[in-house]
Amino acid sequence: MLHSDFVHLHVHTQYSLLDGACIIPNLIDLARRMKMPACAITDHGNMFGAIEFYQSCMTNGIKPIIGSEVYIAPKGRLDKTFSAGEETANHLILLVKDEAGYKNLMKLVSIGYLEGFYYKPRIDKEVLAQYSKGLIALSSCLKGEIPRSIMSGKEERAKQLADEYCAIMGKENFYFELQDNGIPEQREVSRELIRLGKELGIGVVATNDVHYLTRDSAKAHEALLCIQTQTTLDDPNRMKLQTDQFYFRSGEEMKALFKDTPDAISNTIKIAERCNLELDFKKTYLPHYAAPEGTTREKFMRELCENNLEKRYPLSTCPTSQVAPMGNLRSWTGGDMRQIKERLDYELKVISKAGYTSYFLIVWDFISHAKSKGIAVGPGRGSAAGSIVSYLLGITDIDPLRYNLLFERFLNSERVSMPDIDIDFCYERRPEVIDYVVQKYGKDNVAQIITFGTMAARAVIRDVGRVMNLPYADVDRIAKLVPMELDVTLELALEKEPELARLYKEDPRVRELIDTSKKLEGLTRHASTHAAGVVISEDSLTNHVPIFKTSDGQISTGYAMGSLEKIGLFKNGFPGLEDIDRYSGGDKDNQQGQ
Ligand SMILES: [Zn+2]
Ligand SMILES: [Zn+2]
């Protein structure tokens, strides 16, 4: 039984890019060991980790609370004029209570990127009011609007703002957040919030603005912030958290800190009890392919396949001996058209029953379009090659009968996940295919897919070496000692490479470099657009996913491939892997596609 009477409602994971240092599985593991019945995820302005977090919580018996620490633009999300010293955004924590709240948070986060972006994805009170249903708001850290007015001595203003947030959210859905990370100003602000809370009847709640898991990771977190802000640890003006107390405190520690305001502790549980989002991973949202007038999708697809039978299996003109057995492959008798038709019938039945007729037609449609425009299309990869329907539709160019490829490996009546078809298009002309898909299914229903680069072993040494201000040549030499292997970790590198182990043992600087690097290894470094996929939904994508915009203006989903499949969205592999590196333009050391 999980019985801690405190729950963390303000937590930055690895998806608060280069700011949060909590890797999701490790975070949930710690929450479980601390017997916390629930945990929130509140990354800065995004929901990148929501699905992964949700699943990780569920498998560990912890209630997931999806949220975000959003940015509120003081003069409205569209106003991007600022004079020196003026704040461009205030923080606010939003937590999801239910499905309506989840959808609203996705809307808000998307608006932040699409409309309000100014250094940060910003929303404003106008859209917050429009999409506040199903959400709980907390007043956030010292960068929240209310704490800021308290700190600048404007107590009347703070009171006015509290009224405003209550009006937007509903009084029962707005809380004053109390934090104590050892910063003197926090205590002043908390004192005023407690007083104001009593006066206005607004609840208080304790959080720890978690940025890393354990206190001894504070230093590595400082290095992480330096990587983000491109400064060094010895730069006196660098951005940093003021203390080493932004870690995942235990319930006992929190209770001790807030012993004078037991409400602030018990309210964490009350809020957790009010958050009951249940995500359904069984549904899919495949778009429907519109069959021509007077026919059904099923009939249309059968017709397309049958029309190609002659072309793909030219048996009448081709003597059996010429479609001869291929080496040790199954003996091919060639003449058996009945067998071919049986296989076709069987596949069509399974595809229809699984509800994937549209899927095949959509892929057929954009491949046909590409071919008609002379765009080079690869032969099709992956398990799709086991399907005679794929072969007859021209989705693949491999005859599954000749090579004895199993359709069941691709799709069978028991298989729950979506079939996967990867098509390679000519790199230069791939955008034309994407444009066609966007035009056909609607701008709101099609998007490219986000991908995250993680800090892999070599790259993290280079990053940390730089912020430690170590000589480039030294860092380069150490980084190169990490073996070039897939999935290598620093731990493994120390085991495998005696020279690295020796330096680690003998040179305190190297030890510091590697110890810090180990704490940051595997964190998410940046977000970019996956070159190799689009997602198509039956309705507006913002009903299912948050939308993200890269700094160079590309619009993509705010969930990565794995999450999209989980929530039932129709994903299409577009071109080959070599393009991913080319497209995101990063150092290969840095990249680990997700
Ligand atoms: Zn904050
Ligand atoms: Zn925060």
Side-chain angles (χ1 to χ4, degrees):
M1 254 319 257
L2 300 174
H3 53 68
S4 165
D5 36 21
F6 171 80
V7 160
H8 280 287
L9 297 175
H10 186 152
V11 181
H12 296 282
T13 75
Q14 69 202 79
Y15 292 104
S16 288
L17 303 182
L18 297 182
D19 186 1
C22 305
I23 290 186
I24 288 176
N26 303 349
L27 165 72
I28 301 310
D29 189 53
L30 187 56
R32 189 181 48 77
R33 281 189 278 128
M34 287 181 175
K35 300 194 180 347
M36 292 184 181
C39 185
I41 178 172
T42 57
D43 284 315
H44 281 304
N46 72 60
M47 296 169 74
F48 297 155
I51 302 299
E52 184 187 340
F53 179 83
Y54 183 94
Q55 278 185 284
S56 196
C57 282
M58 292 308 264
T59 48
N60 282 282
I62 289 172
K63 182 196 262 192
I65 301 171
I66 305 300
S68 182
E69 182 167 26
V70 297
Y71 297 99
I72 307 281
K75 294 183 295 191
R77 67 191 186 281
L78 302 175
D79 190 327
K80 293 167 190 179
T81 56
F82 288 90
S83 41
E86 208 178 344
E87 301 298 350
T88 56
N90 295 307
H91 294 193
L92 184 76
I93 291 285
L94 293 177
L95 302 172
V96 164
K97 282 198 289 187
D98 51 25
E99 205 191 326
Y102 176 64
K103 289 198 163 165
N104 280 337
L105 188 60
M106 289 197 292
K107 286 263 191 306
L108 289 167
V109 162
S110 304
I111 290 169
Y113 280 106
L114 297 175
E115 297 177 16
F117 198 92
Y118 184 73
Y119 296 104
K120 309 279 183 194
R122 310 172 315 155
I123 58 167
D124 58 20
K125 289 175 194 162
E126 183 193 15
V127 286
L128 182 61
Q130 207 177 332
Y131 298 109
S132 64
K133 193 168 174 281
L135 293 172
I136 289 175
L138 319 182
S139 61
S140 204
C141 59
L142 290 179
K143 290 180 177 164
E145 196 173 9
I146 295 171
R148 268 179 169 152
S149 10
I150 293 173
M151 276 189 296
S152 51
K154 298 176 187 149
E155 272 150 32
E156 262 316 296
R157 173 78 182 138
K159 193 170 156 182
Q160 214 178 57
L161 287 169
D163 283 336
E164 212 179 322
Y165 279 109
C166 284
I168 291 172
M169 304 303 301
K171 200 175 207 170
E172 70 287 4
N173 298 319
F174 182 68
Y175 290 81
F176 285 141
E177 197 170 335
L178 309 184
Q179 296 185 341
D180 189 347
N181 304 93
I183 302 170
E185 288 91 332
Q186 285 177 325
R187 299 202 180 121
E188 280 168 46
V189 167
S190 289
R191 241 193 322 273
E192 180 58 18
L193 288 176
I194 292 165
R195 193 193 65 74
L196 209 54
K198 279 188 188 134
E199 185 187 325
L200 302 173
I202 294 172
V204 290
V205 62
T207 72
N208 205 51
D209 202 354
V210 176
H211 280 69
Y212 38 88
L213 292 181
T214 54
R215 194 165 189 169
D216 64 4
S217 301
K219 196 121 197 271
H221 182 264
E222 287 194 30
L224 185 69
L225 283 180
C226 287
I227 295 171
Q228 186 205 137
T229 53
Q230 294 173 6
T231 49
T232 53
L233 283 161
D234 53 21
D235 178 346
N237 300 319
R238 69 191 158 90
M239 173 182 116
K240 61 173 185 177
L241 299 180
Q242 285 163 271
T243 70
D244 62 355
Q245 296 174 39
F246 291 81
Y247 60 99
F248 200 85
R249 284 191 207 269
S250 70
E252 295 314 309
E253 281 179 273
M254 290 302 285
K255 274 196 279 186
L257 271 179
F258 293 93
K259 59 180 186 305
D260 298 331
T261 43
D263 275 8
I265 298 294
S266 60
N267 277 340
T268 65
I269 299 290
K270 279 189 191 151
I271 291 173
E273 280 166 356
R274 294 173 63 199
C275 295
N276 295 295
L277 174 69
E278 277 178 41
L279 292 177
D280 182 358
F281 294 141
K282 289 198 192 79
K283 279 191 203 152
T284 53
Y285 303 96
L286 300 184
H288 299 295
Y289 183 85
E293 279 280 318
T295 182
T296 65
R297 276 189 286 277
E298 274 74 14
K299 278 190 196 150
F300 182 57
M301 187 150 97
R302 172 177 287 278
E303 241 169 71
L304 289 170
C305 290
E306 285 175 350
N307 289 347
N308 263 340
L309 270 175
E310 279 283 298
K311 203 175 122 213
R312 289 301 206 187
Y313 297 98
L315 302 173
S316 52
T317 56
C318 188
T320 304
S321 59
Q322 282 183 10
V323 264
M326 301 281 293
N328 57 358
L329 297 167
R330 191 187 65 105
S331 163
W332 170 245
T333 55
D336 202 347
M337 187 49 94
R338 203 192 57 218
Q339 191 193 351
I340 296 169
K341 284 189 169 161
E342 267 172 25
R343 169 76 173 249
L344 176 60
D345 284 344
Y346 167 72
E347 287 195 15
L348 286 172
K349 212 170 75 201
V350 175
I351 291 168
S352 164
K353 213 176 135 211
Y356 292 137
T357 306
S358 277
Y359 181 100
F360 279 82
L361 286 172
I362 288 165
V363 177
W364 162 80
D365 178 73
F366 65 66
I367 288 181
S368 309
H369 172 81
K371 285 180 175 168
S372 76
K373 297 284 172 199
I375 298 171
V377 182
R381 287 183 290 121
S383 54
S387 161
I388 196 172
V389 171
S390 305
Y391 182 55
L392 289 171
L393 290 176
I395 292 171
T396 60
D397 282 325
I398 302 132
D399 176 4
L401 294 180
R402 174 180 285 212
Y403 298 100
N404 197 19
L405 301 172
L406 294 179
F407 176 65
E408 282 73 18
R409 199 163 293 160
F410 176 49
L411 186 67
N412 64 56
S413 22
E414 274 89 60
R415 183 171 164 148
V416 223
S417 63
M418 270 179 243
D420 204 13
I421 303 179
D422 278 328
I423 321 285
D424 303 276
F425 290 106
C426 156
Y427 174 76
E428 256 91 46
R429 299 190 63 189
R430 184 183 48 87
E432 292 175 47
V433 186
I434 294 175
D435 284 349
Y436 172 76
V437 171
V438 168
Q439 240 175 47
K440 177 124 190 164
Y441 302 97
K443 197 167 150 279
D444 294 340
N445 304 3
V446 180
Q448 288 189 261
I449 299 168
I450 198 171
T451 183
F452 298 102
T454 53
M455 298 210 265
R458 277 190 172 199
V460 75
I461 286 187
R462 291 185 195 285
D463 276 330
V464 173
R466 190 188 51 73
V467 304
M468 283 174 68
N469 231 346
L470 299 176
Y472 176 81
D474 292 359
V475 175
D476 187 54
R477 194 166 48 87
I478 296 162
K480 282 181 176 153
L481 286 174
V482 175
M484 279 291 246
E485 285 168 26
L486 199 65
D487 297 329
V488 71
T489 60
L490 290 172
E491 194 70 57
L492 273 173
L494 283 170
E495 276 170 32
K496 283 192 173 174
E497 178 50 58
E499 175 62 6
L500 189 64
R502 189 187 63 80
L503 286 169
Y504 180 79
K505 218 170 116 198
E506 289 170 9
D507 186 338
R509 278 181 333 151
V510 176
R511 178 173 314 188
E512 195 187 336
L513 170 66
I514 293 192
D515 284 343
T516 306
S517 298
K518 270 162 87 175
K519 288 208 162 84
L520 303 181
E521 186 179 15
L523 286 173
T524 312
R525 199 185 198 289
H526 64 274
S528 59
T529 307
H530 203 302
V534 292
V535 65
I536 309 172
S537 160
E538 63 173 348
D539 54 348
S540 174
L541 271 170
T542 55
N543 291 332
H544 310 286
V545 280
I547 300 297
F548 167 71
K549 195 160 100 178
T550 59
S551 49
D552 57 353
Q554 291 197 66
I555 290 172
S556 74
T557 59
Y559 286 160
M561 208 79 101
S563 297
L564 294 177
E565 279 167 21
K566 199 74 207 160
I567 60 169
L569 279 176
F570 177 72
K571 166 228 130 189
N572 256 295
F574 266 30
L577 278 175
E578 69 274 26
D579 289 332
I580 297 174
D581 287 327
R582 193 139 51 120
Y583 209 68
S584 43
D587 171 6
K588 269 201 177 169
D589 260 357
N590 276 336
Q591 304 280 332
Q592 253 176 29
Q594 189 178 322

